[in-house]
Amino acid sequence: MNAAAWLKRATKSALSFGEAPRIESPLQRFWSDFSESRLALIGLMLLTMIILIAIFAPLISPQNPYDLSQLDIMDSKLAPGEKSGAGHTHLLGTDDQGRDMLSAIFYGLRISLGVGIASTVFALAIGLFFGMIAAYFSGWVDTLIMRVVDIQLSFPAILIALILLAVLGQGADKIIVALITVQWAYYARTVRASALVEKQKEYIEAAKVLALSKTRILFCHMLPNCLPPLIVVATVQVAHAIALESTLSFLGLGLPITEPSLGLLISNGFTYLMSGKYWISFYPGLALLLTIMSINLVADQLRDVLNPRLKK
Amino acid sequence: MIYVHRIFTALLATVPMSLTYAVTSGAAAQTSTQAATKSAHARDISIGLQAAITSMDPHYHNVGPNNSTLRHIFQPLVAPDENQKLTPALATSWRAIDDTTWEFKLRKNVRWHDGSAFTADDVAFTLKRVPNVPNSPSSFATFTKPIIDVKIIDLHTIIFKTAFPHPLLPSDLTAVAIISKAVGEKATTDDYNSGKAAIGTGPYKFVEYVANQRVVVKANYDYWGGEEPWDKVTFKMLTSPAARVAALLSGNVEMIETVPTADISQLEKNTKFALSNKVSNRVIYAHLNQHQDKAPVFLTDKAGKALEKNPLKDLRVRKALSMAINRDAIVSRVMEGRAVAASQLLADNFFGTSRKLKPAKFDPEGAKKLLAEAGYPNGFAMTIHGPNNRYINDAAIAQTIAQFYSRIGIEVKVDTMPSSVYFTRASKLEFSYMVLGWGTESGEQGSALRSLLATYDTAKGMGVTNRGRYSNPAFDKALGEALVTMDDKKRESMIQRAAEMAMEDVGLIPLHYEVSTWATTKALKYIPRTDQYTLAMNLKLAK
């Protein structure tokens, strides 16, 4: 926290001097810390909007872009604002199959966020489990798990994902599996580091003296204290996962071509960039950019708020 | 939003050039030095090819791009012109003495690039080598197989005996490049790739071959056909369509083949470049799996349960599948007008095509009715398989077909994959509905019917690429008789009749004929070819 913010807080409490002292709940405190950055607030608003769009995509999209019978090849490559043969206006134009770009982007966000969040949650759980075990038991368990993590981290993520998808085949579930495989090692490493620190602390010793079970110590005492850094890593990783999913789709792996995600939409439009039909690539690209940017803004502020070193 | 659109459209007028620089920045230095030396070598030319040339051995790999490029160095006895009409090359004339005996008169005063004279010995040696090239991924033996005996009469007369009446022999021999006996006897495929054995009779001599990069040839000033307008020709393998266009725009090459359809309208407006195009001998079509009586794996009812009968064996279903496709929409929208709706396996004007056949009329209501009659009032579920890097816009075509089928109540999935994977799996008969293409090198519909629709029988060389395993004995008989009829007029009408039988039975679903497009700088003119070959011999200075 910077000096100005501290000053603000100090004056605020000085002004309220005399009133009954207000006690902030941890959540309230978290929020007031978080909302200090206007950029982060904008990011959060944007992200909320994107998430709402993703959730309600089937309700707000003018067209189901994945239902082939709703597409008409005669409406293909319409420019933004042009009317289709049936009289619908396509605000962002259509792609080379006559798919409404706006609907395709809404549905694409659904896939991107869905895949990103699902893979992160699972990878987090797996990473957490192995990281804690490695830190708590140390010895050969630690060595074994951490060497596996080392090997995993020494390969570029995109390479592993490419190979996995080539073997697994098409489908959103396969992409999630590939992304989990790629990501869990990051969490394992982060958790182990903070768990090693926590392990030294007195409350763990106290718990041991009380002869609590290992699982109870691990999951009820150590785990909550290891979470803050993980939350930060996880938010950043969601953005990574989304970018990785788009990269894979751009390369034509993962999802079937009749159900394009943002990456595949960009890739389809790539052919038409030189011929002036920019919108097939541009708007999905913009949507992807805004999504990843808003997540990163939120993640940045989360890191500042949750970092104990930056706390006064 | 519309405002944004206007700004973009204005901006984009300037974008292609800057993009071009980004794409070819690596070649930028090279381009500028080329520009500096260009005035000194106005007769040097670079051409961007769409596919990699896999070898300089003319008998190693029977594939269009190789055959096209090697035509500069090596020549066949009989060469097809730009319309695939046969013209004399190393043979000056040929005739059938009887049904199974052919006499070829060879050209006199032809010299190999190493200075030695070309004789009938070289032809006999070539025919012996063709079936015996080690590790050949796709052999030329198909073309020489019918010849069972070779007799050398004198230095410039040779006689071939065929096992059966084979009217297509001269046309088959257009694919067989003649090599020098003296050089070829000791040479391996590697010797051709290194250039040691790349000694031909053609208008250009071998200079350099770098796999996946380029082929360089220089003029053969002693060429029997007279001098060519170019001193040196560099063929660059630019397999990415965007990179190919960028290379042309930046002046890195003077000509490219297979202009991506998305870029054609932009290039047409650009006054610095000229386009030429021609309906090719390639048809894009769909093979329907009729191998088993049980439905194939990728064809089920809508709940995903296996069907008892194979719907594709029912003519009504095949007809419905053909009628449901709006070919004109594919041509105008997906192919941007660079295709012609197909009714058979070769475009009109080719030998053996029937004028009676017309592209199936787009009639989704009629298709629905036919499906209901066949016992599928609610349709079925099917996966369409196709390549995504072989034919012009192949993946988009598969998707568009899926669109049309979903309107007649068929639940469609689309799976496209790189051609290397696709063709292997297609040949194993894994798929139900396959989007494919076929270029007829002989320019005669009989050979396309033989490869794609005759009942599968590799021993007889019938239906070797019949991945749908369509089988119709009456058609087989009609075609078999046509293929051994020596009289051209009679044979043509027999092939036409066979084609009508197969097409009316919807043995496969023809979609469209590809139109090939070349782009050159304004100073040049390319005479377009139906066989999609890109030959420096067809490239002239524009007047």
mmCIF file of all heavy atoms in Angstrom, chain B residues 160 322-323 494:
data_model
loop_
_atom_site.group_PDB
_atom_site.id
_atom_site.type_symbol
_atom_site.label_atom_id
_atom_site.label_comp_id
_atom_site.label_asym_id
_atom_site.label_seq_id
_atom_site.Cartn_x
_atom_site.Cartn_y
_atom_site.Cartn_z
ATOM 1 N N PHE B 160 5.645 -50.640 -79.340
ATOM 2 C CA PHE B 160 5.152 -51.144 -78.056
ATOM 3 C C PHE B 160 4.040 -52.145 -78.302
ATOM 4 O O PHE B 160 3.152 -51.911 -79.102
ATOM 5 C CB PHE B 160 4.580 -49.997 -77.203
ATOM 6 C CG PHE B 160 5.563 -48.909 -76.905
ATOM 7 C CD1 PHE B 160 5.212 -47.579 -77.073
ATOM 8 C CD2 PHE B 160 6.838 -49.197 -76.446
ATOM 9 C CE1 PHE B 160 6.104 -46.555 -76.785
ATOM 10 C CE2 PHE B 160 7.737 -48.193 -76.153
ATOM 11 C CZ PHE B 160 7.368 -46.860 -76.326
ATOM 12 N N SER B 322 -27.534 -35.405 -52.842
ATOM 13 C CA SER B 322 -27.023 -34.593 -53.941
ATOM 14 C C SER B 322 -27.908 -33.369 -54.180
ATOM 15 O O SER B 322 -27.413 -32.264 -54.411
ATOM 16 C CB SER B 322 -26.934 -35.443 -55.205
ATOM 17 O OG SER B 322 -26.333 -34.716 -56.241
ATOM 18 N N MET B 323 -29.227 -33.575 -54.100
ATOM 19 C CA MET B 323 -30.165 -32.473 -54.338
ATOM 20 C C MET B 323 -30.126 -31.415 -53.251
ATOM 21 O O MET B 323 -30.471 -30.256 -53.468
ATOM 22 C CB MET B 323 -31.599 -33.023 -54.383
ATOM 23 C CG MET B 323 -31.971 -33.664 -55.684
ATOM 24 S SD MET B 323 -33.343 -34.818 -55.433
ATOM 25 C CE MET B 323 -34.647 -33.723 -54.964
ATOM 26 N N MET B 494 -19.276 -44.237 -75.894
ATOM 27 C CA MET B 494 -19.437 -45.301 -74.893
ATOM 28 C C MET B 494 -19.105 -44.798 -73.487
ATOM 29 O O MET B 494 -19.784 -45.135 -72.508
ATOM 30 C CB MET B 494 -18.544 -46.496 -75.239
ATOM 31 C CG MET B 494 -19.050 -47.271 -76.454
ATOM 32 S SD MET B 494 -17.818 -48.439 -77.051
ATOM 33 C CE MET B 494 -18.166 -49.850 -76.018
#
